[in-house]
Amino acid sequence: MSFVPPGSGWPGDPAGPGTPVARDAHEVAKLAAESRTLADLTARQSVCRACPRLVEWREEVADVKRRAFADETYWGRPIAGWGDDAPHTLIVGLAPAAHGGNRTGRIFTGDRSGDWLFASLHRTGLAAKETSVHAGDGQRLIGARMMAAVRCAPPANKPTPEERDTCFPWLAAELALVAGTTRVIVALGGFAWQAVWPALRAAGFTLPSRRPGFGHAVEVPLVHGATPVTLIGCYHPSQQNTFTGRVTAEMLDAVFARAAALGATA
């Protein structure tokens, strides 16, 4: 089996055998719009089959596996949003890693980027533990929620514009469902920064007329209803960025400490 069947007992699996499956962009938009709760939405996100290239890749990776994980069962499905259902801080990434989230079933879990990210979230009070290794490890986000612009692991970590656009309704719907409590949004990397802007607009946030360029610790004031919200840019803790020193632990901590402080005023 190249993916975990919905409802078969994987820790935290939001879906069941009867969860409706989107098989094209039209069905993604329809199912996302019809989702009235986070439980409905995340279940539907986690069984989506709308992008043939991504479905083929994620399941091939789950079947072939990396040698270090040869004895493990891979999740092999889209990665749903995860964390607090009423968050003050949202963390938006690019897409799950082939041998990270695609293996473990939880975003940023089981890969080097996640090692850096969760350690920083723990130090700044946004995560219960400093590590996140598998879906049943007891990790818990505190006042925070994670989601990805694209829910499936893409080849070479590069989704196509069409795949990004097909996944867009999942992101917009999730943002809308948590907008009432959200005070901070952290975009990890330039791709997430670009993807989150139209999704925020669709979710009812009021944005500046001009989109500022992405940068580390760049802050942009937004509004949802009458409530101020802050969008913060953050360099992605990829291996390339951490190995070269473009991102340091201190840089990550500064961003998430700022997010935690803004969230605490909610």
Side-chain angles (χ1 to χ4, degrees):
M1 176 66 70
S2 55
F3 64 92
V4 173
S8 58
W10 191 276
D13 187 349
T19 299
V21 178
R23 299 186 183 277
D24 57 34
H26 174 75
E27 291 183 352
V28 170
K30 179 176 183 294
L31 290 176
E34 291 174 351
S35 298
R36 296 291 178 258
T37 66
L38 281 173
D40 284 344
L41 182 68
T42 54
R44 294 168 179 187
Q45 289 171 348
S46 76
V47 295
C48 183
R49 302 184 68 82
C51 299
R53 187 182 79 115
L54 297 186
V55 171
E56 181 180 5
W57 173 251
R58 77 190 191 209
E59 294 181 5
E60 178 184 342
V61 169
D63 187 41
V64 175
K65 305 179 183 180
R66 178 174 283 173
R67 182 177 299 177
F69 310 121
D71 294 333
E72 295 188 23
T73 299
Y74 275 50
W75 171 253
R77 283 165 46 196
I79 307 301
W82 172 75
D84 200 318
D85 284 355
H88 55 69
T89 297
L90 303 181
I91 302 162
V92 182
L94 162 60
H99 302 281
N102 190 57
R103 173 174 61 89
T104 65
R106 195 168 69 195
I107 189 169
F108 285 113
T109 295
D111 61 40
R112 296 288 180 85
S113 295
D115 292 344
W116 280 72
L117 179 60
F118 278 99
S120 181
L121 294 175
H122 178 66
R123 289 191 296 266
T124 54
L126 296 172
K129 299 171 62 177
E130 64 181 355
T131 60
S132 183
V133 294
H134 58 81
D137 62 1
Q139 179 61 281
R140 178 174 55 89
L141 294 179
I142 302 169
R145 186 174 185 84
M146 290 183 178
M147 57 193 76
V150 174
R151 304 301 168 122
C152 296
N157 205 33
K158 293 181 180 180
T160 67
E162 181 181 4
E163 290 161 350
R164 176 203 61 202
D165 293 347
T166 297
C167 216
F168 173 86
W170 295 135
L171 178 60
E174 191 162 2
L175 290 170
L177 285 170
V178 298
T181 61
T182 296
R183 300 296 179 267
V184 189
I185 301 130
V186 178
L188 293 174
F191 187 102
W193 180 267
Q194 296 295 328
V196 78
W197 277 83
L200 287 168
R201 183 176 290 108
F205 289 80
T206 301
L207 311 180
S209 57
R210 297 187 65 181
R211 182 186 306 179
F214 170 73
H216 188 78
V218 167
E219 294 190 12
V220 181
L222 315 175
V223 179
H224 185 268
T227 303
V229 179
T230 304
L231 173 64
I232 306 177
C234 181
Y235 288 155
H236 194 289
S238 64
Q239 289 191 62
Q240 180 179 1
N241 283 345
T242 56
F243 284 173
T244 61
R246 189 178 190 220
V247 173
T248 66
E250 291 76 15
M251 291 170 67
L252 290 177
D253 287 0
V255 166
F256 290 113
R258 171 67 171 157
L262 289 169
T265 64

